[in-house]
């Protein structure tokens, strides 16, 4: 663990990503404290609507006179929550199916891999659009649908690791001592297969946040007036000439957050894989 921490500190890109992610976590966690106004409070006065950044409103106001800084702070909480819950669903499904396919092999492996291939035949974004168009826009549906359509890559990663690790001496010894399949798979083999899982989780978090923002922009994700970076940009696109802050600030927030997750993921891939170091 100390060696890994030293590697992260030495890698400036990973360190930058970790700092940005921790900052976003703090902002989301302390949103009620950091918000200077009620994010849902309307003020349709002409002198408050579409006000540029100022001392009173740090990031300006939107077309309904709502404080953009407060909406951005609460939007960080929404985006990170969607990302983590969706990835948690993906993790449960992907790891479970990957362990079963890789450990047992044979017809079980074939069945699960055919299911993975069927899922990968459908363009993921359009599949999500169709499902949400049928179910209706909802933050709960967004979390569930993103999670249920994101597990295929993780399943293949875990399966590949298990196909190699199940033939190692410690796995064979545990089986000879009478350990159950569940114990061998989850207690002995899985901990040694977690390196690619960590990388996949990090990259998937960035992808889930970006996907949620895109769905909210299209009106199929988080619904107004609940603040989300995606629906803030969706509103701001109508005022891009006169109120640039409504699109630039949330757009940069999405870019910085997603980029940070990708930087951390790529950095972990190099740190955890000895072949990449060489």
């Amino acid at each position: 663990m100390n060696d890994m921490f030293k590697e992260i500190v030495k890698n400036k890109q990973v360190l930058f990503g970790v700092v940005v992610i921790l900052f976003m976590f703090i902002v989301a966690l302390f949103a009620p404290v950091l918000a200077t106004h009620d994010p849902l409070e309307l003020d349709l006065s002409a002198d408050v609507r579409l006000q540029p950044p100022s001392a009173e409103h740090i990031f300006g106001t939107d077309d309904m006179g709502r404080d953009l800084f407060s909406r951005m702070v609460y939007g960080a909480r929404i985006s990170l929550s969607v990302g983590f819950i969706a990835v948690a669903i993906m993790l449960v499904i992907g790891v479970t199916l990957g362990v079963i396919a890789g450990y047992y092999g044979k017809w079980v492996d074939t069945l699960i891999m055919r299911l993975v291939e069927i899922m990968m035949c459908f363009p993921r974004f359009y599949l999500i659009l169709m499902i949400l168009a049928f179910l209706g826009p909802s933050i709960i549906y967004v979390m569930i649908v993103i999670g249920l359509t994101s597990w295929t890559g993780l399943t293949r990663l875990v399966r590949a690791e298990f196909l190699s690790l199940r033939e190692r001496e410690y796995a064979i010894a545990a089986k000879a001592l009478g350990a159950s399949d569940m114990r061998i798979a989850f207690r002995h083999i899985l901990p040694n297969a977690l390196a690619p899982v960590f990388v996949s989780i990090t990259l998937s978090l960035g992808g889930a946040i970006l996907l949620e923002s895109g769905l909210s922009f299209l009106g199929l994700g988080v619904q107004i007036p609940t603040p989300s970076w995606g629906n803030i940009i969706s509103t701001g696109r109508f005022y891009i000439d006169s109120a640039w802050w409504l699109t630039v600030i949330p757009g940069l927030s999405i870019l910085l957050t997603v980029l940070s997750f990708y930087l951390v993921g790529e950095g972990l891939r190099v740190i955890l894989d000895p072949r990449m170091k060489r």
Side-chain angles (χ1 to χ4, degrees), residues 152-168:
T152 53
L154 183 58
T155 298
R156 296 176 71 182
L157 277 174
V158 175
R159 169 187 175 269
E161 290 292 317
F162 263 70
L163 288 175
S164 171
L165 296 174
R166 71 181 183 180
E167 303 299 333
R168 297 290 177 89

Side-chain angles (χ1 to χ4, degrees), residues 11 15 31-32 40 49 75 84 102 104 134 147-148 150-151 158 174 180 200 210 219 223-224 242 248 255 257 259 269:
N11 192 319
L15 187 60
L40 304 180
R49 293 177 64 250
F84 273 90
Y104 289 104
F134 177 75
L148 291 178
S150 306
W151 53 269
V158 175
S180 65
S200 179
L210 185 61
Q223 297 297 295
I224 297 173
S242 57
V248 171
L255 172 64
T257 304
L259 178 62
R269 187 165 66 91

Side-chain angles (χ1 to χ4, degrees), residues 4-223:
M4 183 176 175
F5 180 76
K6 291 177 182 178
E7 291 284 349
I8 291 174
V9 172
K10 285 193 296 185
N11 192 319
K12 294 181 179 180
Q13 292 182 343
V14 179
L15 187 60
F16 171 79
V18 170
V19 170
V20 171
I21 292 169
L22 288 176
F23 174 76
M24 291 298 178
F25 271 124
I26 294 171
V27 169
L29 185 62
F30 295 100
V33 178
L34 296 174
T36 56
H37 297 74
D38 183 347
L40 304 180
E41 182 181 359
L42 303 178
D43 190 341
L44 299 179
S45 305
D47 59 337
V48 176
R49 293 177 64 250
L50 300 176
Q51 179 182 335
S54 62
E56 174 66 19
H57 300 282
I58 301 173
F59 287 169
T61 60
D62 63 8
D63 59 322
M64 295 293 179
R66 295 171 294 207
D67 180 69
L68 182 59
F69 175 77
S70 301
R71 291 182 65 76
M72 286 294 300
V73 168
Y74 276 91
R77 173 176 285 190
I78 293 291
S79 295
L80 290 176
S81 298
V82 170
F84 273 90
I85 294 175
V87 169
I89 295 172
M90 175 204 79
L91 186 63
V92 172
I93 299 174
V95 170
T96 302
L97 292 180
V99 167
I100 294 172
Y103 184 78
Y104 289 104
K106 299 181 181 178
W107 67 268
V108 178
D109 181 27
T110 301
L111 180 63
I112 293 176
M113 286 301 101
R114 296 298 82 76
L115 177 61
V116 168
E117 290 167 3
I118 291 171
M119 288 292 298
M120 294 181 72
C121 287
F122 298 97
R124 182 182 165 204
F125 188 73
Y126 295 110
L127 178 62
I128 294 174
L129 285 180
M130 288 189 295
I131 295 173
L132 290 178
F134 177 75
L135 296 175
S138 166
I139 185 172
I140 302 298
Y141 291 153
V142 169
M143 295 175 184
I144 295 173
V145 169
I146 293 177
L148 291 178
T149 56
S150 306
W151 53 269
T152 53
L154 183 58
T155 298
R156 296 176 71 182
L157 277 174
V158 175
R159 169 187 175 269
E161 290 292 317
F162 263 70
L163 288 175
S164 171
L165 296 174
R166 71 181 183 180
E167 303 299 333
R168 297 290 177 89
E169 291 80 1
Y170 59 84
I172 297 173
K175 191 168 186 177
L177 291 172
S180 65
D181 290 341
M182 291 287 289
R183 183 178 178 83
I184 296 172
F186 288 96
R187 182 72 181 274
H188 297 285
I189 301 179
L190 184 59
N192 294 287
L194 288 180
V197 174
F198 286 143
V199 176
S200 179
I201 289 172
T202 309
L203 297 175
S204 297
L205 280 168
I209 291 172
L210 185 61
L211 188 54
E212 179 276 323
S213 298
L215 293 171
S216 296
F217 178 83
L218 295 174
L220 291 172
V222 180
Q223 297 297 295

